[in-house]
Amino acid sequence: MVKRVNSSCYLGKGKLEEVRKIVKNNGIKKVCVYDELKPRQITCLLRELRVEVLDKVLLILNIFAQHAGSKEANLQIELARLRHELPLIRDWVRRAKLKELPGFLGPGGYAIDAYYRHVKQRIARLTRELNELRRRRELERSRRRYAGLIHIAIAGYTNSGKTTLFNALTKLNKPTGTEMFTTLAPKSYGVPMCGTKVVFVDTVGFIKNIPYDIIEAFNAVLEEISDSDVVLLVLDSSETIQRVVDKLVSSIEILRKIGVVGKPLVVIMNKIDLVKDREELADKIHVVSDVVSGEYGDVIDIVPVSALKGYGLDEVKKAIC
């Protein structure tokens, strides 16, 4: 735990020496800092520790990369990583010209400058490709809307059971898992319901204090939520009340960031089969009701569900209708 952040190297002299000894004595090749670091802080840690250093954004993107199964997801991950690394490379260019990068970080000013230009060109190309994919996705949505289909986005914190709920409502068998970020590209499927046909869209999971770099890069996916007619916000009711509330507030903040304002919302209290007793569940629903009505407003219903066991699905459908 870092109580006081050093502006130049993130870690103070004492803590830095402590980490340096741990790295050296244990043959550690990579250090992860669960915080967003400034370029000068990463450069300083690289120089002092002489191992690879990842901050919060790069760590999350590395996890994303392990689950990326589509071209779109891979493009978004690479774009987010390059945009996040660009200020760091710019800092290296500046330091190389000042001859401040000898040894471990010193490939030479020309090499760093050339790499910086390459990264900027790659970012431009990735942006063009993702804009084209976004245009195609918008066209697909327009066609579905023209056909009169209602779009329902399944959103919420990562590992809350969104894909399990998607499978339960659509009778599909899309991959699920207990690890975070199993879903990186949206999945959509039409289902007859409410005397018409609705399209359920499974989306990428939220994370608390999600870095802006990641939100920007995954805009093409997140806009599936902002363009929907109804949002199902999934919460894991088996967690403590405090964690449920924290994730609820965090999710609503992200919904605001991507432009979901005043859209009909159904809160899904998932995993009720893991809650100890009815009184505990009732308390959680009461607290969630108070929080969501104050933070969001337009809430249609709060529905207790076990997507895995199939409990409460009829109530979800009634709320949607």
Side-chain angles (χ1 to χ4, degrees), residues 9-210:
C9 209
Y10 189 76
L11 300 175
K13 287 184 179 180
K15 185 67 72 173
L16 185 60
E17 182 60 30
E18 181 184 335
V19 173
R20 186 188 289 114
K21 287 180 180 178
I22 293 172
V23 168
K24 184 178 179 180
N25 295 338
N26 295 277
I28 292 171
K29 303 297 183 184
K30 185 181 296 185
V31 171
C32 300
V33 180
Y34 200 66
D35 199 353
E36 290 187 67
L37 301 182
K38 295 183 172 77
R40 65 174 179 270
Q41 292 171 331
I42 295 179
T43 302
C44 182
L45 289 173
L46 285 168
R47 186 175 60 243
E48 295 292 335
L49 301 177
R50 293 181 173 268
V51 294
E52 184 181 357
V53 175
L54 301 179
D55 72 348
K56 179 179 180 178
V57 176
L58 291 177
L59 176 61
I60 292 170
L61 290 173
N62 276 4
I63 298 172
F64 276 177
Q66 294 175 17
H67 298 290
S70 67
K71 177 184 177 182
E72 182 178 6
N74 280 302
L75 290 176
Q76 290 175 126
I77 292 163
E78 185 181 358
L79 178 61
R81 180 178 60 79
L82 292 176
R83 280 180 172 170
H84 185 67
E85 288 180 345
L86 193 62
L88 175 61
I89 300 168
R90 191 182 298 124
D91 185 60
W92 286 1
V93 171
R94 181 182 66 83
R95 291 174 183 270
K97 290 177 178 177
L98 294 173
K99 302 190 184 303
E100 293 181 3
L101 292 179
F104 180 67
L105 293 171
Y110 176 79
I112 297 176
D113 218 5
Y115 182 60
Y116 178 72
R117 291 195 298 272
H118 166 74
V119 168
K120 289 195 72 175
Q121 291 168 358
R122 181 63 179 160
I123 286 174
R125 180 178 174 183
L126 289 171
T127 301
R128 287 195 299 270
E129 289 188 46
L130 282 170
N131 284 340
E132 176 59 23
L133 286 171
R134 180 180 295 184
R135 188 190 65 80
R136 291 178 191 173
R137 194 184 298 281
E138 287 175 353
L139 186 60
E140 290 173 6
R141 280 199 301 269
S142 296
R143 287 172 178 168
R144 294 198 298 256
R145 288 193 181 284
Y146 185 75
L149 304 182
I150 305 298
H151 288 67
I152 300 173
I154 302 177
Y157 215 85
T158 185
N159 204 27
S160 59
K162 298 183 301 301
T163 301
T164 305
L165 179 62
F166 175 83
N167 286 339
L169 292 169
T170 61
K171 308 300 182 186
L172 296 180
N173 191 30
K174 295 296 181 180
T176 61
T178 55
E179 68 275 7
M180 299 170 75
F181 314 124
T182 305
T183 301
L184 285 181
K187 299 181 284 285
S188 58
Y189 193 75
V191 177
M193 191 180 295
C194 316
T196 181
K197 191 173 185 180
V198 303
V199 177
F200 286 105
V201 184
D202 186 20
T203 61
V204 64
F206 299 155
I207 46 178
K208 190 173 183 179
N209 299 323
I210 185 168

Side-chain angles (χ1 to χ4, degrees), residues 142-317:
S142 296
R143 287 172 178 168
R144 294 198 298 256
R145 288 193 181 284
Y146 185 75
L149 304 182
I150 305 298
H151 288 67
I152 300 173
I154 302 177
Y157 215 85
T158 185
N159 204 27
S160 59
K162 298 183 301 301
T163 301
T164 305
L165 179 62
F166 175 83
N167 286 339
L169 292 169
T170 61
K171 308 300 182 186
L172 296 180
N173 191 30
K174 295 296 181 180
T176 61
T178 55
E179 68 275 7
M180 299 170 75
F181 314 124
T182 305
T183 301
L184 285 181
K187 299 181 284 285
S188 58
Y189 193 75
V191 177
M193 191 180 295
C194 316
T196 181
K197 191 173 185 180
V198 303
V199 177
F200 286 105
V201 184
D202 186 20
T203 61
V204 64
F206 299 155
I207 46 178
K208 190 173 183 179
N209 299 323
I210 185 168
Y212 182 78
D213 309 56
I214 297 175
I215 289 182
E216 179 65 23
F218 280 79
N219 253 338
V221 174
L222 293 173
E223 69 184 10
E224 290 282 359
I225 303 174
S226 58
D227 284 351
S228 65
D229 298 294
V230 179
V231 176
L232 303 185
L233 181 58
V234 184
L235 300 173
D236 181 351
S237 64
S238 69
E239 296 183 312
T240 64
I241 288 181
Q242 188 56 55
R243 285 184 65 82
V244 170
V245 170
D246 285 348
K247 292 182 178 183
L248 171 60
V249 172
S250 178
S251 296
I252 292 173
E253 286 176 2
I254 294 170
L255 290 176
R256 286 200 195 101
K257 285 181 181 178
I258 61 176
V260 180
V261 179
K263 198 175 292 292
L265 185 75
V266 178
V267 178
I268 306 296
M269 298 289 289
N270 193 25
K271 304 187 184 182
I272 60 171
D273 55 304
L274 301 179
V275 180
K276 293 179 181 178
D277 54 58
R278 291 185 179 182
E279 186 176 341
E280 179 186 343
L281 178 61
D283 289 343
K284 290 177 179 177
I285 291 174
H286 179 73
V287 171
V288 165
S289 177
D290 287 345
V291 173
V292 77
S293 59
E295 293 283 337
Y296 190 87
D298 193 11
V299 182
I300 303 303
D301 204 353
I302 299 175
V303 186
V305 165
S306 171
L308 184 64
K309 302 290 186 180
Y311 306 153
L313 295 181
D314 287 340
E315 284 71 22
V316 173
K317 295 173 184 177

